[in-house]
Amino acid sequence: MSQLLSGILFMAVGTFALYLGRGYPAGSAGDMGPGYLPRLVAIGLVLVGSACALRGWLSGERGLPGFPLRAGFWIGVAVVAFALLIERAGLFVTCLVAVFLASGAEMQRRWREVPVIALLLAGFCALLFGYALGLPMPVWPS
């Protein structure tokens, strides 16, 4: 059933993208317009979604898969915390907090690995977005 649902989701997103891009001229393969690639990707999504949905339908699998409430809760909390902290705490600290909160989604936390991953990810984000790309967001707490 999960393959059927994911196929339907892909088809819906592809159809919506085709609808949104209907006003852009596609052009041709030799002279591509601004709507060429989006239309190509949207058609690809519809085709992949159709194949996935057909495979799910033919498998005979019925019943919805379970949703991990614990994981959904902690990932949601991490996203909200990121949105609330980014302006005040800066990118580095916000990434640390988000990784620690998101690690609550795992049933068996790995207390040795989470701080290492958090530091590496926060450092990478600070270097990439704050310094290399120069995005207008604070890297450090203000």
Side-chain angles (χ1 to χ4, degrees):
M1 183 64 121
S2 62
Q3 273 195 338
L4 175 65
L5 292 176
S6 63
I8 291 171
L9 178 67
F10 282 151
M11 288 189 301
V13 169
T15 303
F16 186 63
L18 282 171
Y19 173 75
L20 288 178
R22 71 189 184 284
Y24 295 120
S28 65
D31 184 27
M32 295 180 195
Y36 188 83
L37 186 62
R39 189 168 295 157
L40 196 64
V41 171
I43 290 170
L45 272 173
V46 170
L47 291 176
V48 167
S50 300
C52 203
L54 182 65
R55 186 174 174 185
W57 181 262
L58 294 177
S59 74
E61 177 187 341
R62 300 294 179 251
L64 292 174
F67 180 77
L69 291 177
R70 175 189 174 106
F73 172 77
W74 283 110
I75 298 297
V77 168
V79 169
V80 169
F82 189 92
L84 293 174
L85 289 174
I86 189 68
E87 291 294 324
R88 289 183 219 107
L91 183 61
F92 188 83
V93 173
T94 302
C95 282
L96 289 175
V97 171
V99 170
F100 276 105
L101 288 173
S103 72
E106 181 67 35
M107 292 296 284
Q108 300 168 347
R109 280 193 190 178
R110 298 176 179 165
W111 290 107
R112 290 183 186 171
E113 296 171 10
V114 172
V116 173
I117 292 170
L119 284 171
L120 289 174
L121 183 64
F124 176 75
C125 287
L127 289 173
L128 178 64
F129 298 115
Y131 298 115
L133 296 176
L135 294 181
M137 68 174 70
V139 175
W140 303 105
S142 52

